[in-house]
């Protein structure tokens, strides 16, 4: 495989994992090998009036030199309305050539649906699907910190040029664990505004015996510098190759700022393959949404509700290999 192809493949995989983490069960895999995916987009997650399914195929040249091949599926989408939406998506690609654009496409379509729902015209008849039972997690949350374990060495320097140096330890929240094949993943989140706080949060977390004994403690942070209008950001794999970069990529797509996320993984003896990255991103995404650092798809459509399973009543998938590619616990 050529070096360019390898780079595109890595960027595609990172974007796919991020989209699965952001949209949960709205994001579906149609053909993993051919990189064909579908996302069901509604104006209102709880009570949809207008719904559309975006099906995309990612060519080898995407995102470098070629756009995704896409199909808009909705029985009500016809004529000029379809042409206008297609033009909007293609304009987004032209404005962002070489960048990952699936998130921008989805949110553009959602904006169009929300605007459409606010018009006086009635929506099409939409049959609600029976929601499948949520997966229950029996794991307990991490216990209170126990100050006995040493702190691992940190690889970054604290900036001395910051105009405001806040030295108070920020509050740390712990997410709901995800367990798969005896491996457990748990996210921890803290607001940070300077690198010194990042160091303090890590030090406090490592005082906890269970966190300190985790096989990996992957982290990423993003700090917005008002004076320079730029982001100070970094990540750490802690032995889980590429996990930190994927976590940071998710945070970039979600456009979060002044926050740090640490995901602890306790290895259970069974290799999970790519599923481990999915669980890491889902843990991070869940706690970012829970603590209001990012807008969930529900909030984008001005509702708060549970995600629903993708339905294929629009004739999108006659492929029996369709599967859900997320593991979001609510």
């Amino acid at each position: 495989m050529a070096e360019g192809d390898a780079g595109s493949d890595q960027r595609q995989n990172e974007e796919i994992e991020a989209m699965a983490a952001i949209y949960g069960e709205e994001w579906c895999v149609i053909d993993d090998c051919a990189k064909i995916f579908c996302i069901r987009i509604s104006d209102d997650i709880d009570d949809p009036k207008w719904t559309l399914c975006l099906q995309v195929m990612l060519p080898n040249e995407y995102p470098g030199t070629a756009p995704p091949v896409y199909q808009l599926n909705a029985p009500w989408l016809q004529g000029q309305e379809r042409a206008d939406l297609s033009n909007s998506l293609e304009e987004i690609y032209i404005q962002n050539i070489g960048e990952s654009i699936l998130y921008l496409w989805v949110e553009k379509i959602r904006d169009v649906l929300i605007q459409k729902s606010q018009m006086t015209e009635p929506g099409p008849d939409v049959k609600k699907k029976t929601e499948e039972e949520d997966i229950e997690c029996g794991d307990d949350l991490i216990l209170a910190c126990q100050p006995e374990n040493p702190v691992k060495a940190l690889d970054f320097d604290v900036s001395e040029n910051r105009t405001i140096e806040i030295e108070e330890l920020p509050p740390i929240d712990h997410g709901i664990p995800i367990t798969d094949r005896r491996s457990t993943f748990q996210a921890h989140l803290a607001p940070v505004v300077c690198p010194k706080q990042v160091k303090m949060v890590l030090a406090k977390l490592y005082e906890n015996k269970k966190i300190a004994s985790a096989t990996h403690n992957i982290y990423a942070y993003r700090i917005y510098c008002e004076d320079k209008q730029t982001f100070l950001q970094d990540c750490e794999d802690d032995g889980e190759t590429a996990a930190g970069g994927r976590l940071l990529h998710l945070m970039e797509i979600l456009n979060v700022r002044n926050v740090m996320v640490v995901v602890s993984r306790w290895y259970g003896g069974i290799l999970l393959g790519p599923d481990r990255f999915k669980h890491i991103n889902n843990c991070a995404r869940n706690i970012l949404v829970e603590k209001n650092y990012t807008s969930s798809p529900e909030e984008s459509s001005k509702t708060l509700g549970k995600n629903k399973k993708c339905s294929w009543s629009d004739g999108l998938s006659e492929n029996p290999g369709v599967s859900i590619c997320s593991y979001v616990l609510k």
Side-chain angles (χ1 to χ4, degrees), residues 12 56-70 89-90 92-94 96-99 101-102 105:
Q12 286 184 15
V56 295
M57 182 184 71
L58 306 182
N60 293 334
E61 298 80 10
Y62 172 79
T65 59
V69 178
Y70 70 95
L89 299 186
E90 289 159 15
I92 289 174
Y93 168 72
I94 292 172
N96 298 274
I97 291 178
E99 301 296 329
I101 60 168
L102 295 185
W105 275 10

Side-chain angles (χ1 to χ4, degrees), residues 118-297:
Q118 294 171 348
M119 299 171 63
T120 57
E121 59 180 298
D125 292 332
V126 178
K127 295 181 180 180
K128 289 187 177 181
K129 303 302 172 182
T130 302
E131 185 175 357
E132 297 192 11
E133 295 181 359
D134 289 345
I135 301 171
E136 295 183 355
C137 180
D139 295 276
D140 294 328
L141 299 182
I142 292 294
L143 300 177
C145 293
Q146 304 174 24
E148 295 184 12
N149 274 42
V151 179
K152 289 187 178 180
L154 306 177
D155 295 330
F156 59 82
D157 295 326
V158 177
S159 173
E160 298 179 355
N161 296 323
R162 298 282 294 176
T163 57
I164 300 177
E165 197 72 20
I166 299 177
E167 298 191 7
E168 291 185 2
L169 175 68
I172 303 174
D173 291 296
H174 307 289
I176 298 176
I178 292 176
T179 299
D180 180 16
R181 285 163 281 179
R182 298 190 299 187
S183 281
T184 298
F185 303 79
Q186 185 178 30
H188 322 282
L189 177 149
V192 293
V193 295
C194 64
K196 187 169 184 178
Q197 283 191 315
V198 174
K199 183 176 180 180
M200 293 170 70
V201 169
L202 289 171
K204 187 63 177 176
L205 286 173
Y206 276 113
E207 289 180 2
N208 183 292
K209 285 184 176 181
K210 184 162 186 175
I211 295 176
S213 67
T215 311
H216 310 287
N217 282 301
I218 304 109
Y219 71 81
Y221 66 88
R222 301 189 82 217
I223 298 170
Y224 185 65
C225 305
E226 291 283 354
D227 53 343
K228 299 180 180 179
Q229 302 287 298
T230 58
F231 280 94
L232 175 64
Q233 59 186 37
D234 201 358
C235 59
E236 170 59 43
D237 297 336
D238 193 29
E240 187 71 281
T241 305
R246 293 168 189 257
L247 176 58
L248 181 58
H249 185 71
L250 171 68
M251 295 172 70
E252 289 173 336
I253 287 181
L254 293 175
N255 195 29
V256 298
R257 60 179 61 190
N258 299 333
V259 65
M260 172 184 188
V261 177
V262 181
V263 179
S264 302
R265 181 199 180 180
W266 293 269
Y267 178 59
I270 300 175
L271 296 175
L272 302 186
D275 283 349
R276 67 191 190 277
F277 299 119
K278 178 174 63 179
H279 298 330
I280 290 168
N281 273 4
N282 280 336
C283 279
R285 181 259 183 185
N286 288 349
I287 198 168
L288 286 166
V289 169
E290 178 187 348
K291 299 304 174 182
N292 298 316
Y293 277 91
T294 184
S295 296
S296 65

Side-chain angles (χ1 to χ4, degrees), residues 26 40-53 73-77 113 116-117 121-130 308-314:
E26 292 182 305
R40 186 176 181 84
I41 310 163
S42 300
D43 62 316
D44 186 311
I45 299 296
D46 241 358
D47 187 20
K49 181 179 178 182
W50 298 99
T51 300
L52 181 150
C53 287
N73 295 280
W76 53 265
L77 185 65
L113 297 181
K116 190 173 179 66
S117 70
E121 59 180 298
D125 292 332
V126 178
K127 295 181 180 180
K128 289 187 177 181
K129 303 302 172 182
T130 302
K308 301 186 185 301
K309 292 287 184 182
C310 286
S311 68
W312 307 104
S313 58
D314 296 323

